[in-house]
Amino acid sequence: MQKNGTLWKDTDGADIQAHGGCILFHNGTYYWYGENKNAVTVKRRMDFIGFSCYTSKNLVDWKNEGLVFKAFKEPANHEAGIKCIGERPKVVYSKKLKKFVLWFHLDNMTYELRRAAWAISDSPVGPFEYMGSFKPNIRDCCDFTVFIDNDEKAYFICAGDMNKTMLIHEMDDTYTKFTGAYKAIFTDQAREAPVFYHVGDWYYSATSGCTGYSPNAMLYGTSEHIFGRWRLWDNPCMGRADYRKTFQGQSCNSLFANGRWYMMLDHWNPEDIRVSGYSILPVNFDGGYMEVLWEDEWNGIK
Ligand code: GAL
């Protein structure tokens, strides 16, 4: 059992360092990738360390597989070097290339670059080889997710235009390139930390407001098509008094397990980011309505 809202332990009893991440299921194993923040926080920032991977069969007991992508120590001005920001790693398996593709948000310490970066590996536990960075369709890219639809088409969905607008970019079937098709949604609504689902006739989004590591209200959105008329609704969180603050957390990514959908949350501690906690909560969908339910415990595979 892991206690939601707290810093989880791995199978060695050490703190899990996989913040802002994602869980990939591949050939019977779950792979959890996330930001390794195991350093001292200074003014809510720290050097870029890299991305960790943990493996599990039951989603509760996590074995540390180490850093699968490391920030470059040299040259000192490397665009993915230790003086950069690397956040929200998302790993997808490209059936076409038979490779694992790691995407992340690359930035400088003042969040002025706003680029997407990628790396590639033959193995889910790395090492991932750095491939470069760019602005998708020449637009800004901050918090993002890679959303794989039921037909296996992938979309790179990010906070763009200095976090004012959400952008849905279509990717090609290798999950490494952008087709050029994209759509801006939630214009000037300033949403970030996107999590997307496609359940029944509806697409659903969950996003946070833009208040950095401080919690705010999650809002959900719906559309009948991925490039359709998205509408932003209210807060889907329920079950605890601090539901208007996303249970002191922030949306992180979706997870499918036990035949249903869940949402991963980060519970950031801005003064000491390495002790930030995690939650995995059940999400219910009903004909265009969405709810995220608080539970004290995460018990993994049933
Ligand atoms: C949040 C964002 C996090 C991180 C943080 C830094 O808005 O969702 O991924 O960038 O700001 O303050």
Side-chain angles (χ1 to χ4, degrees), residues 32-133:
W32 182 2
Y33 303 91
E35 300 163 24
N36 186 309
K37 292 288 194 188
N38 196 10
V40 176
T41 303
V42 181
K43 294 189 181 155
R44 302 192 167 204
R45 298 278 180 272
M46 66 172 65
D47 283 359
F48 180 24
I49 298 170
F51 303 124
S52 323
C53 177
Y54 294 81
T55 51
S56 178
K57 296 281 183 195
N58 62 8
L59 288 167
V60 169
D61 303 306
W62 293 98
K63 177 173 173 280
N64 187 359
E65 304 286 350
L67 280 180
V68 294
F69 179 86
K70 288 187 190 138
F72 288 84
K73 291 214 164 88
E74 50 193 38
N77 64 348
H78 193 286
E79 67 166 14
I82 55 174
K83 292 295 169 196
C84 302
I85 279 180
E87 288 181 340
R88 296 190 174 264
K90 302 288 171 275
V91 177
V92 287
Y93 179 65
S94 167
K95 283 188 187 165
K96 198 90 179 175
L97 303 179
K98 297 194 171 53
K99 285 180 192 291
F100 296 84
V101 187
L102 161 71
W103 286 96
F104 61 99
H105 165 209
L106 178 71
D107 228 312
N108 61 9
M109 288 286 177
T110 45
Y111 290 95
E112 284 151 333
L113 288 180
R114 302 187 287 265
R115 291 167 82 84
W118 65 298
I120 206 155
S121 171
D122 292 326
S123 158
V125 291
F128 282 85
E129 185 192 346
Y130 188 63
M131 302 302 286
S133 77

Side-chain angles (χ1 to χ4, degrees), residues 135-291:
K135 282 188 183 272
N137 293 312
I138 329 176
R139 300 286 290 260
D140 273 353
C141 166
C142 285
D143 281 4
F144 78 102
T145 190
V146 179
F147 167 66
I148 311 268
D149 204 347
N150 299 338
D151 60 5
E152 299 192 351
K153 269 176 77 98
Y155 299 88
F156 186 102
I157 303 173
C158 61
D161 298 352
M162 299 182 73
N163 273 349
K164 289 211 277 292
T165 295
M166 190 83 25
L167 301 168
I168 304 179
H169 300 275
E170 185 186 61
M171 301 181 91
D172 77 355
D173 60 359
T174 68
Y175 302 169
T176 63
K177 293 193 177 66
F178 290 65
T179 66
Y182 74 98
K183 180 176 170 112
I185 66 168
F186 307 149
T187 304
D188 293 335
Q189 297 297 320
R191 309 303 302 168
E192 64 177 7
V195 180
F196 277 64
Y197 303 89
H198 182 187
V199 183
D201 293 336
W202 292 92
Y203 288 84
Y204 299 83
S205 66
T207 52
S208 75
C210 298
T211 54
Y213 287 129
S214 309
N216 55 55
M218 188 189 295
L219 295 181
Y220 79 97
T222 56
S223 176
E224 283 169 291
H225 306 282
I226 187 75
F227 281 158
R229 292 181 293 175
W230 281 91
R231 278 188 281 190
L232 202 52
W233 298 105
D234 207 347
N235 186 337
C237 298
M238 327 201 136
R240 216 170 76 168
D242 54 1
Y243 75 101
R244 294 292 312 169
K245 292 258 188 253
T246 311
F247 317 118
Q248 313 301 330
Q250 186 185 27
S251 39
C252 172
N253 212 43
S254 63
L255 170 68
F256 190 80
N258 297 322
R260 58 146 34 253
W261 285 103
Y262 295 92
M263 192 185 298
M264 302 163 68
L265 298 188
D266 292 296
H267 298 266
W268 300 108
N269 181 328
E271 311 315 325
D272 189 3
I273 302 168
R274 72 183 139 194
V275 301
S276 301
Y278 311 102
S279 291
I280 298 180
L281 301 176
V283 188
N284 290 332
F285 302 95
D286 181 12
Y289 291 88
M290 170 176 173
E291 52 185 30

